[in-house]
Amino acid sequence: MGSKERILRLKEETRTSILDAALNIVQTEGWQALSMRKIADHIEYTAPIIYEYFPNKEGILLELTRRGYQILGKDIREARDKHDLAEDKMEAMWVAYWNFAFTHKEFYQLMYGVDMVCCTVKNSMAEAEQVSAMLGDVIESLFIKQPVSENDICMKYYTYWSIIHGLISINLVRPNGRTTDELNQQILKDAIKGITLSINS
Amino acid sequence: MGSKERILRLKEETRTSILDAALNIVQTEGWQALSMRKIADHIEYTAPIIYEYFPNKEGILLELTRRGYQILGKDIREARDKHDLAEDKMEAMWVAYWNFAFTHKEFYQLMYGVDMVCCTVKNSMAEAEQVSAMLGDVIESLFIKQPVSENDICMKYYTYWSIIHGLISINLVRPNGRTTDELNQQILKDAIKGITLSINS
DNA sequence: TACCTTTGCTTAACAGTGTTAGATTATTTA
DNA sequence: TAAATAATCTAACACTGTTAAGCAAAGGTA
């Protein structure tokens, strides 16, 4: 009978409806609000049936991660194919990556583990501002042309910090990647030198 | 009587012993293993007394964050004071920052929200590797001198990714900072151009 | 049609989480 | 010694992810 296929199709439908519900909850209430019971509420079932479609909560997260990479892949591919020169390709691809991170914020958080918990009060902590003040002062002194605008300091500060924080994140998250310590140190120092040189040019 | 001060000192002691216990648990079992009851076990009390010293769990995390920034501040300050030239200061400070992130991994994770959950299986996901393959291919084509070693591609890939991921992280975590969208786009494109230029020089 | 088996789904429970209220014990004060 | 205060614990609440048992409806078979 054809009912077999209909049932299979229905099962596939509730499977994706679980993923949709999860994404919906995350987009409206944030990652920390995502719970199995809440997903079950959205699809009008009880929590245990979710385990008929996914092994556990992480299974749902993993599938959403896959979805995210599919979207990201499509965006980057399209950006690449819009240009001929490799330089233009490169810039367009990274800009696409950048845009993906903000238009699909929740996906990016899931894919690259950008945690946003306990970051609300942290802004106005004296100790934190002291650190950025020290770095800002030295950056200011790097400029030959004085005085330096707050904007210029800020920009260079974020440039430094981005590449270093990025490198650290990557190495903390995937410590057994294909990069070595020497390679990382090389990238780090090259990047610092590059940014420092670019200040007065 | 002087017992008032002794009691106050004792209270201060258990307060720091709570923080020490929390740090100890995190260092041996990771962030996800940190629970109020486990902290209580370590200091040989029951969970509710922790709330006499901290408003809630986030309060403990916030205090540990403060501790982290104190250590980081000291490290960066010392690195700065070891050099005279601003360029040397800058490099030493960022290297100190880098070293802090790895010698005080748990602190860094707390301070900058580098999540390491659900990153074990994620390595071998086809969709993820497809994305990095696309980017790697274009990077390879950027090199004038052919053939390009796997190492060179890898290094440039991580350089690109670091700065972009870093910029995104910073902007996702603290969206209301002192940076504007135009400034970020400027930093982003400058950085991309800079790395691209550095490939054949 | 009657029975049996399978499927779909729910209820109830377990072990864990952060957090709070009430009771209990110990200590200090009068 | 008696009252007041402080320190601590037990028990509970409302959650979390996850699992086992049971019920009810559907399907297949005689």
Side-chain angles (χ1 to χ4, degrees):
Chain A
M1 334 200 143
S3 70
K4 275 263 173 67
E5 285 126 38
R6 196 203 58 209
I7 284 168
L8 228 77
R9 204 174 54 238
L10 274 181
K11 287 205 94 179
E12 197 53 45
E13 262 175 40
T14 63
R15 202 189 121 92
T16 62
S17 84
I18 289 171
L19 293 171
D20 289 345
L23 194 59
N24 195 38
I25 292 164
V26 169
Q27 282 169 343
T28 54
E29 302 180 64
W31 280 109
Q32 103 274 80
L34 183 68
S35 77
M36 300 301 263
R37 285 176 177 82
K38 203 172 269 180
I39 294 174
D41 277 1
H42 267 68
I43 61 171
E44 290 178 309
Y45 278 112
T46 50
I49 63 111
I50 303 179
Y51 292 86
E52 310 254 321
Y53 298 89
F54 296 94
N56 48 32
K57 191 181 181 182
E58 208 182 325
I60 300 176
L61 264 39
L62 209 68
E63 200 54 44
L64 285 178
T65 305
R66 195 185 311 279
R67 273 197 185 190
Y69 273 111
Q70 283 163 358
I71 299 171
L72 176 62
K74 185 176 135 284
D75 287 359
I76 286 185
R77 201 173 300 114
E78 285 175 4
R80 182 193 60 189
D81 296 343
K82 273 198 188 125
H83 297 85
D84 292 321
L85 269 79
E87 286 85 356
D88 297 338
K89 276 183 197 284
M90 189 88 279
E91 180 169 312
M93 286 164 89
W94 285 118
V95 169
Y97 183 98
W98 170 273
N99 287 331
F100 169 84
F102 290 95
T103 54
H104 300 91
K105 199 175 83 179
E106 292 79 18
F107 273 120
Y108 192 84
Q109 285 168 356
L110 178 62
M111 291 155 73
Y112 296 101
V114 179
D115 200 354
M116 54 174 15
V117 186
C118 56
C119 274
T120 48
V121 199
K122 213 184 283 180
N123 288 341
S124 58
M125 180 170 337
E127 284 89 347
E129 279 170 16
Q130 217 174 320
V131 169
S132 58
M134 275 196 291
L135 291 163
D137 286 349
V138 175
I139 289 171
E140 187 174 9
S141 71
L142 280 173
F143 282 82
I144 294 174
K145 199 184 80 182
Q146 299 280 346
V148 191
S149 75
E150 193 66 38
N151 195 41
D152 283 351
I153 296 172
C154 198
M155 178 168 154
K156 288 300 168 187
Y157 174 61
Y158 275 87
T159 310
Y160 276 117
W161 194 31
S162 292
I163 194 158
I164 287 151
H165 174 69
L167 259 179
I168 290 167
S169 300
I170 291 162
N171 280 283
L172 278 184
V173 168
R174 40 174 71 187
N176 276 344
R178 283 182 296 172
T179 49
T180 60
D181 278 0
E182 309 90 66
L183 188 56
N184 279 322
Q185 285 280 347
Q186 201 181 334
I187 295 172
L188 176 68
K189 296 206 175 177
D190 274 9
I192 295 171
K193 286 220 177 73
I195 302 167
T196 307
L197 277 175
S198 80
I199 285 181
N200 294 307
S201 64
Chain B
M1 338 196 144
S3 69
K4 274 263 173 65
E5 284 126 39
R6 195 202 61 208
I7 284 167
L8 228 77
R9 203 174 56 238
L10 275 182
K11 287 205 95 179
E12 197 54 43
E13 263 175 39
T14 64
R15 201 187 123 93
T16 62
S17 83
I18 289 172
L19 293 171
D20 289 345
L23 194 59
N24 195 38
I25 292 164
V26 168
Q27 281 169 344
T28 55
E29 301 179 64
W31 281 108
Q32 104 272 80
L34 184 68
S35 77
M36 300 300 263
R37 285 176 178 81
K38 202 171 270 182
I39 294 174
D41 276 2
H42 267 68
I43 61 169
E44 290 178 308
Y45 277 112
T46 50
I49 62 111
I50 303 179
Y51 292 85
E52 309 257 320
Y53 299 90
F54 297 94
N56 48 30
K57 191 181 182 182
E58 209 183 323
I60 299 176
L61 264 39
L62 208 68
E63 200 54 44
L64 284 179
T65 305
R66 195 186 311 278
R67 272 198 186 189
Y69 273 110
Q70 282 163 357
I71 299 171
L72 177 61
K74 185 176 135 285
D75 288 359
I76 287 185
R77 201 174 300 116
E78 285 175 5
R80 182 194 60 189
D81 295 344
K82 273 198 187 123
H83 297 86
D84 292 321
L85 270 78
E87 285 85 356
D88 297 338
K89 276 182 197 286
M90 189 86 280
E91 179 170 313
M93 286 164 91
W94 286 118
V95 169
Y97 183 98
W98 170 274
N99 287 330
F100 170 84
F102 290 96
T103 54
H104 300 90
K105 199 175 82 179
E106 293 79 18
F107 274 120
Y108 192 83
Q109 282 170 168
L110 178 62
M111 291 154 73
Y112 296 101
V114 180
D115 200 354
M116 50 171 22
V117 185
C118 56
C119 274
T120 49
V121 199
K122 213 184 286 181
N123 288 341
S124 57
M125 182 173 330
E127 284 89 346
E129 280 170 14
Q130 217 173 321
V131 169
S132 58
M134 276 196 289
L135 291 163
D137 286 349
V138 175
I139 289 171
E140 187 174 9
S141 71
L142 280 173
F143 281 82
I144 294 173
K145 199 184 81 182
Q146 299 279 347
V148 191
S149 75
E150 192 65 40
N151 194 41
D152 283 351
I153 296 172
C154 197
M155 180 169 154
K156 288 301 167 187
Y157 174 61
Y158 275 87
T159 310
Y160 277 118
W161 193 30
S162 292
I163 194 158
I164 287 151
H165 173 70
L167 259 179
I168 290 168
S169 300
I170 291 162
N171 281 283
L172 279 184
V173 169
R174 41 173 70 188
N176 275 344
R178 282 182 297 172
T179 49
T180 61
D181 278 359
E182 309 90 67
L183 188 56
N184 280 323
Q185 285 279 347
Q186 200 182 334
I187 295 171
L188 176 67
K189 296 205 175 176
D190 275 8
I192 295 172
K193 286 220 176 72
I195 301 168
T196 307
L197 277 175
S198 79
I199 283 180
N200 294 305
S201 64

